[in-house]
Amino acid sequence: MTHDPLIALRPWEAPEVTSWGRLPMNAVDRRSGGLPLDGDWRFRLLSAPDAPVGGAWSSACVPGVWTMQGTDDLPQYTNVRMPFAQVPPGSPPANPTGVYEREVDVPADWAGRRIVLQVGAAESVLLVHVDGRPVGISKDSHLAAEFDLTTLVTPGARSTVRLTVVKWSDASHIEDQDQWWHGGVTRSVLLYATDPLHLADVTVRARRDGELRVDCRVRDSRGALPAGWCVSGELEGRLLTQDAEFDRVNAEDDRVSDFLGEARIRARVPDVRTWNAETPELYTLTVRLHRPDGTIADTTRHRIGFRDIEIIGRDLLVNGERVYIRGVNRHDFHPLTGRTVSHEDMRADLVLLKRFGFNAIRTAHYPNDPGLYDLADELGLYVVDEADIESHDHAHEIADDPRYLNAFVDRVSRMVLRDKNHPSVIIWSLGNESDYGANHDAAAGWVRRHDPTRPLQYEGAAKLDWAASDDASDIACPMYAPIEDCVAHALSGRQTRPLIQCEYSHAMGNSNGTLADTWAAIESTPGLQGGFIWEFWDHGILQRVNDGRPAGRGGARLYDNGVAAPGHRWAYGGDFGETLHDGAFIADGVVFPDRTPKPVLYEHREIAAPVRLTYEDGVLLLHNRLHFRGLEWLAAQWELSLAHGGTLTAPAELPDVAPGASAVLAPPFTLPEEGGEAWLTLRVTTARDEAWAARGTEVCVPQVRLRAAGPGAPAAPPSGPAVRVDDDGLLVHPLLTLAPTLSLWRAPTDNDELGGMAPRWRTWGLDTLVRKVVSVTRDGERVTVLCEYAATPGVVRHEQAFTPVEGGVRVEESAELPAAFDDVARVGSVFETVGGLDLLEWYGPGPWESYPDRAAGAPVGHHSLAVDALFTPYLRPQESGGRHGVRHFTLSAPDATGLTVEPDEPRQVSVTRHRAEDLTAAAHHDELVPRSGCVVHIDAAHRGLGTASCGPDTSPSYRIRPGVHRWSWTLRVL
């Protein structure tokens, strides 16, 4: 390898060498009819590109990353920092290099044809050889590279193809994305053949009025184009013809025009069915290239959609309609294969997103697998297509570095050339977190000239001034901007362009607080149009605990419902022995690594629901919140939930409500006089099979309260044995193993830790409070205990009064927080029960987890779950499993014995098998040992979750202030 002419170029250290021998990118579909080269290849991993080639070959699966296939080069996670010390454009001398080889039998019937090798993606530098001869070089880890092998292989004979992949290069500095670092051939490899006269590119423009234009570029690999060639098209069986036989490129150099031809097909489609994310209507377009004798030389097929994207004023319009962008950022990711994803994986991703109300994805932070765009076209998702550019660690230097100019333009232009015919792609993005400089302007200029039909966005340009109109972004697309700032901008009179956050509501751990508040502000403020949650995935890699290595592909079921199988765990930064890493910051998705939804998805589903209910002054209204679609595709059922009377159901007939309109509904029930608080829920499902959901799939559960809770029932008279309180002032109860005491601490969430709250709480000593009994007094059957908890800012005074009631005890509590306690995690009671109480039944929001600032997606009703199912297994153990606004609950054993708790008003409640200190001490769930009994929290106040790990904290209304907090609850034995 040291004498190889390609290696001599040292392309991994030369920014100007973005490609050599690589064919231009195009949008012609070659994925069918070729010879797939996926499967096992001979493989060896070298320590550097110029390392000796000696040593035994092993095998590696292509596509796949070697970092997940048993090599000693393991995954590494960094967010901003580069994993090596060299500054741009340098790369480290210890540079893992994978050599892949296999024999290929070139079909004999390819004689006389043009033969092309397509490598779907390789990370990060690809060098191609055939039979020991150099073919070409490619950079850009997330787009395909094609090489013409016509003169290097012989049809009917066998050739050896070698792919050398160099992990680190100058290009790594602009692939510094928030994800795992891998190495390998990550997408499929294909060998295909075309006629020498072939379609070099096809550009489709299909407008919502039915106007269709297809621009074709034609080449002949033998030399000058022959006279008399032509193209034809077919749309859904209708023949289309070009305007003229062919047109040569306008160029002063006739020699160039002889080798490149252009043809244009125009048509007007009557009664066109338009494409949008709600009704993604597609047409099949076939384009054929004909030789002078009329025979077909080449064919390409496309699924196209007729639609318009435009910005008018400060609104982004789809087919003339202002739409909300309910988006999420998405990586190509799989917990067993790393960067390699199958068609089935991608479909499952997008189907899940559709079911939970998302209508848009941002391909963070690179062009995704080509199959994803086909699926987005089919299922209906708007796509912000993002170029493979992020120079986070050296952003300022690289943005204006002319050595990287070609790389910026190359990566952006190749993305556009590949994906331009997809109706789902509505916005181009110049990349992510790379500052802003001349290199961006150059890339933006190319895009605006080549494709004026779509807007362009780049956060780095727009962040300088949201109101600017002369930079490289047509959209103000900030990251994690406080919603108050967004509203203020929209109301300022200075707004000049749409404001759609490219990242907001960071989903790390137990997070996404205030999501409903954010969307309430967006929907009530003209000029705000939505954004993209960060992000879809928790990027946990399945790891074997015994040896600390990736689990590999495996055939066994190694995970379920977000939990790794015994002997395995979800690995994050630092779990593969690396010293430079960013820990669990890679676990920041709305789904677990196995695609199990986190509770936040149910929150988002209700916020984005196509149907909403309102009830005011006795009037029940149904609202269609869609932009293009009626309600004929939905079915529904009514539920009436009574706090003390169970649940009633009735069929629902949805009226014909136009998009954006409302209708008055007759109440489906006569409200019983008894039963207390009453909530009306509409369970909405699909009425027929959709591409993303079978008939009967739940779509949303909008709810309104018909009647508030009445006055509380009078306290039951004392009965039975007197309250027992021991010498330490602790309640003695046969079902409790630990008596109720004050709790001000929670196992810190990722937001608590990274947002700075948890360190402050530790400084105050909230995690190690010591209870000191001041007095125990008795007044008849009533026992009052006064305690003090000494903390750094002052003393917390806690009073408990125990009074016997029928079947149990009433507990009245107060806690006085000194003025310095301006923001604590919770104020409430914690106790532990005996074992065997394994079922929780409650009335309140549910069934999934909810918190004060994330409760819009949990309908109030009667719910029942096993205690072990209440806990949410966030990758790094932390506070989880809470239920907000619980009215009453019961913990019971299989024999129906147990206890019931009735708070004085709706309270935050959690029931788990883990103490807060258990969760705080554990880094992974395999380190947790569940307790046999239940750990129960009843909180007078519980701090909101916010998104402070990377974004705004919870709003002040969800924080806990100093002063006196009072709460009470009644404990009864079943």
Side-chain angles (χ1 to χ4, degrees):
M1 290 180 66
T2 55
H3 302 295
D4 193 312
L6 280 178
I7 295 296
L9 289 173
R10 300 187 69 78
W12 54 92
E13 294 181 347
E16 67 275 10
V17 182
T18 59
S19 67
W20 177 83
R22 188 181 68 192
L23 296 173
M25 181 62 77
N26 63 80
V28 180
D29 186 5
R30 304 294 186 187
R31 284 175 283 173
S32 61
L35 179 64
L37 300 183
D38 291 353
D40 287 336
W41 288 52
R42 293 191 302 277
F43 176 78
R44 53 187 162 191
L45 184 64
L46 310 178
S47 60
D50 53 358
V53 182
W57 290 89
S58 60
S59 67
C61 184
V62 172
V65 291
W66 68 64
T67 42
M68 302 281 283
Q69 295 191 52
T71 71
D72 290 331
D73 184 33
L74 297 175
Q76 181 178 1
Y77 167 61
T78 62
N79 175 23
V80 177
R81 300 171 293 178
M82 290 297 293
F84 51 80
Q86 285 72 16
V87 299
S91 55
N95 195 346
T97 300
V99 181
Y100 298 81
E101 281 190 3
R102 66 163 289 170
E103 278 69 52
V104 177
D105 294 319
V106 182
D109 60 1
W110 286 6
R113 294 174 66 77
R114 168 178 169 264
I115 300 172
V116 177
L117 176 71
Q118 181 188 86
V119 181
E123 186 174 333
S124 69
V125 177
L126 171 68
L127 302 97
V128 179
H129 297 74
V130 172
D131 295 328
R133 290 175 289 176
V135 177
I137 295 169
S138 178
K139 298 182 185 180
D140 187 345
S141 294
H142 301 287
L143 283 174
E146 293 190 338
F147 304 91
D148 192 330
L149 306 187
T150 308
T151 62
L152 299 174
V153 299
T154 302
R158 173 170 289 190
S159 286
T160 300
V161 175
R162 188 211 305 168
L163 307 178
T164 303
V165 181
V166 185
K167 185 174 183 179
W168 305 122
S169 70
D170 66 286
S172 301
H173 292 285
I174 55 173
E175 294 181 357
D176 182 19
Q177 288 121 352
D178 181 7
Q179 60 178 331
W180 291 99
W181 293 99
H182 287 295
V185 179
T186 58
R187 294 180 190 155
S188 291
V189 180
L190 178 71
L191 193 69
Y192 69 87
T194 72
D195 193 274
L197 180 67
H198 61 278
L199 291 164
D201 197 12
V202 173
T203 302
V204 179
R205 291 181 180 170
R207 304 201 58 182
R208 79 175 189 269
D209 62 2
E211 179 184 340
L212 174 65
R213 193 179 96 182
V214 184
D215 293 321
C216 304
R217 309 192 86 192
V218 177
R219 291 184 184 273
D220 194 317
S221 61
R222 296 166 298 197
L225 287 166
W229 63 265
C230 65
V231 297
S232 68
E234 183 181 310
L235 185 72
E236 302 286 288
R238 177 186 175 186
L239 186 64
L240 311 173
T241 57
Q242 66 185 66
D243 288 349
E245 183 178 313
F246 72 88
D247 302 313
R248 290 181 173 177
V249 173
N250 293 322
E252 296 180 1
D253 188 344
D254 288 338
R255 178 179 58 81
V256 173
S257 64
D258 286 341
F259 290 88
L260 177 62
E262 293 185 342
R264 176 172 296 166
I265 299 171
R266 288 183 182 271
R268 174 78 63 173
V269 179
D271 302 319
V272 68
R273 308 183 308 272
T274 56
W275 186 98
N276 59 73
E278 296 168 19
T279 56
E281 297 283 356
L282 294 176
Y283 291 73
T284 299
L285 171 69
T286 303
V287 179
R288 299 182 178 92
L289 170 64
H290 300 268
R291 302 183 187 93
D293 64 3
T295 58
I296 297 173
D298 201 1
T299 302
T300 183
R301 291 179 176 83
H302 303 267
R303 294 281 279 162
I304 67 169
F306 289 81
R307 59 103 182 97
D308 289 342
I309 307 299
E310 57 189 334
I311 291 177
I312 296 181
R314 56 183 187 171
D315 295 326
L316 174 71
L317 306 181
V318 176
N319 296 337
E321 294 289 331
R322 181 181 187 270
V323 299
Y324 287 119
I325 301 299
R326 304 183 185 275
V328 70
N329 288 271
R330 179 195 173 276
H331 281 279
D332 281 343
F333 169 78
H334 192 278
L336 299 180
T337 58
R339 196 88 70 228
T340 299
V341 291
S342 68
H343 184 82
E344 292 73 20
D345 291 330
M346 291 184 287
R347 175 175 280 277
D349 293 351
L350 300 195
V351 162
L352 186 142
L353 288 173
K354 289 285 290 187
R355 289 180 180 176
F356 283 93
F358 291 93
N359 69 359
I361 54 175
R362 174 178 175 232
T363 66
H365 297 293
Y366 45 80
N368 283 187
D369 185 285
L372 179 110
Y373 302 82
D374 296 333
L375 290 165
D377 295 341
E378 172 197 344
L379 299 174
L381 283 154
Y382 303 121
V383 175
V384 173
D385 205 2
E386 189 149 278
D388 187 15
I389 299 173
E390 182 170 339
S391 56
H392 209 158
D393 200 13
H394 299 282
H396 183 69
E397 307 98 288
I398 289 177
D400 284 307
D401 189 336
R403 295 175 297 176
Y404 280 91
L405 172 62
N406 288 345
F408 274 58
V409 177
D410 183 67
R411 288 165 180 248
V412 172
S413 63
R414 293 181 75 236
M415 171 188 70
V416 173
L417 289 167
R418 188 193 75 167
D419 298 334
K420 60 189 174 184
N421 295 336
H422 288 282
S424 58
V425 177
I426 65 168
I427 298 170
W428 301 117
S429 169
L430 298 179
N432 185 65
E433 294 179 321
S434 300
D435 208 334
Y436 180 40
N439 294 341
H440 294 98
D441 287 332
W446 188 94
V447 176
R448 284 172 169 155
R449 172 73 177 182
H450 183 81
D451 180 23
T453 70
R454 294 176 175 92
L456 188 66
Q457 76 173 45
Y458 177 58
E459 181 267 342
K463 73 179 181 182
L464 301 178
D465 181 0
W466 292 354
S469 58
D470 59 351
D471 55 37
S473 188
D474 301 316
I475 297 169
C477 48
M479 287 184 177
Y480 308 108
I483 190 62
E484 297 82 4
D485 293 355
C486 297
V487 171
H489 174 67
L491 299 179
S492 68
R494 298 183 62 245
Q495 187 178 5
T496 59
R497 50 188 170 181
L499 195 156
I500 303 170
Q501 294 209 55
C502 68
E503 295 178 23
Y504 81 107
S505 193
H506 193 252
M508 185 178 181
N510 192 358
S511 187
N512 304 106
T514 71
L515 191 62
D517 296 341
T518 296
W519 270 98
I522 291 171
E523 293 181 5
S524 62
T525 309
L528 306 186
Q529 256 184 281
F532 296 82
I533 290 175
W534 185 266
E535 64 162 317
F536 181 56
W537 286 107
D538 269 2
H539 292 235
I541 291 176
L542 194 68
Q543 181 186 48
R544 298 192 300 260
V545 176
N546 61 339
D547 62 7
R549 303 183 72 84
R553 293 172 182 261
R557 183 68 172 170
L558 297 176
Y559 42 75
D560 186 49
N561 291 323
V563 179
H568 297 79
R569 68 182 182 185
W570 298 123
Y572 48 76
D575 286 337
F576 293 107
E578 68 271 39
T579 56
L580 179 63
H581 64 83
D582 286 304
F585 206 71
I586 194 70
D588 49 10
V590 294
V591 300
F592 290 105
D594 65 351
R595 208 181 289 109
T596 296
K598 289 183 179 178
V600 64
L601 279 189
Y602 295 95
E603 183 89 349
H604 186 272
R605 190 181 72 173
E606 294 311 310
I607 293 168
V611 173
R612 291 187 189 168
L613 293 176
T614 57
Y615 183 71
E616 189 172 355
D617 297 329
V619 178
L620 181 64
L621 283 176
L622 177 75
H623 308 273
N624 180 350
R625 299 293 297 169
L626 296 172
H627 301 291
F628 300 99
R629 200 175 191 186
L631 303 183
E632 71 286 347
W633 61 288
L634 297 173
Q637 182 182 51
W638 290 109
E639 289 184 2
L640 179 65
S641 180
L642 303 170
H644 305 296
T647 302
L648 306 176
T649 63
E653 291 292 333
L654 295 180
D656 183 13
V657 184
S662 304
V664 177
L665 298 181
F669 298 99
T670 299
L671 196 61
E673 293 184 6
E674 303 297 330
E677 187 181 20
W679 290 82
L680 181 65
T681 304
L682 187 65
R683 292 202 172 270
V684 182
T685 61
T686 51
R688 56 178 182 258
D689 289 346
E690 299 285 327
W692 47 272
R695 179 177 179 270
T697 299
E698 192 168 82
V699 174
C700 58
V701 283
Q703 184 179 68
V704 291
R705 188 168 68 174
L706 300 183
R707 183 171 63 200
S719 173
V723 172
R724 289 188 57 209
V725 175
D726 66 15
D727 293 341
D728 293 323
L730 296 172
L731 176 68
V732 178
H733 192 281
L735 294 182
L736 304 188
T737 57
L738 282 180
T741 55
L742 178 68
S743 176
L744 304 179
W745 168 260
R746 69 184 181 195
T749 65
D750 293 312
N751 291 330
D752 294 339
E753 291 285 13
L754 298 177
M757 288 76 74
R760 184 170 69 251
W761 297 337
R762 288 191 184 93
T763 299
W764 291 349
L766 298 190
D767 58 333
T768 56
L769 289 177
V770 177
R771 177 176 178 269
K772 177 185 176 183
V773 178
V774 175
S775 63
V776 178
T777 58
R778 300 181 183 273
D779 182 7
E781 298 293 334
R782 179 183 176 90
V783 180
T784 301
V785 180
L786 178 63
C787 296
E788 291 182 346
Y789 294 80
T792 301
V795 174
V796 178
R797 294 174 61 84
H798 177 223
E799 184 177 277
Q800 291 177 308
F802 304 101
T803 306
V805 296
E806 184 178 6
V809 59
R810 178 174 175 80
V811 185
E812 298 169 274
E813 305 192 60
S814 68
E816 184 178 357
L817 274 59
F821 279 66
D822 59 348
D823 185 9
V824 298
R826 65 177 1 136
V827 178
S829 313
V830 59
F831 61 86
E832 297 182 21
T833 74
V834 297
L837 305 183
D838 299 331
L839 179 68
L840 180 72
E841 299 171 274
W842 75 98
Y843 184 72
W848 31 83
E849 175 190 272
S850 57
Y851 284 83
D853 61 351
R854 202 191 67 213
V860 174
H862 296 277
H863 305 287
S864 175
L865 280 176
V867 169
D868 291 338
L870 297 167
F871 185 66
T872 306
Y874 297 108
L875 263 64
R876 188 190 67 79
Q878 56 196 273
E879 162 65 35
S880 76
R883 267 63 182 176
H884 179 64
V886 173
R887 278 68 167 167
H888 54 79
F889 67 90
T890 296
L891 267 171
S892 61
D895 63 0
T897 61
L899 58 85
T900 183
V901 173
E902 301 164 357
D904 56 336
E905 61 182 72
R907 297 293 187 184
Q908 182 80 21
V909 171
S910 71
V911 181
T912 72
R913 302 291 191 195
H914 308 287
R915 295 176 180 172
E917 54 262 38
D918 300 337
L919 298 171
T920 304
H924 298 86
H925 282 272
D926 62 290
E927 302 167 20
L928 288 172
V929 178
R931 296 177 182 272
S932 59
C934 299
V935 180
V936 181
H937 282 271
I938 305 170
D939 293 329
H942 195 102
R943 191 186 197 277
L945 301 170
T947 63
S949 56
C950 186
D953 192 7
T954 193
S955 62
S957 61
Y958 299 114
R959 299 176 195 172
I960 300 174
R961 296 306 181 193
V964 178
H965 296 263
R966 302 183 190 278
W967 68 105
S968 63
W969 46 284
T970 301
L971 172 67
R972 303 181 195 271
V973 176
L974 291 179

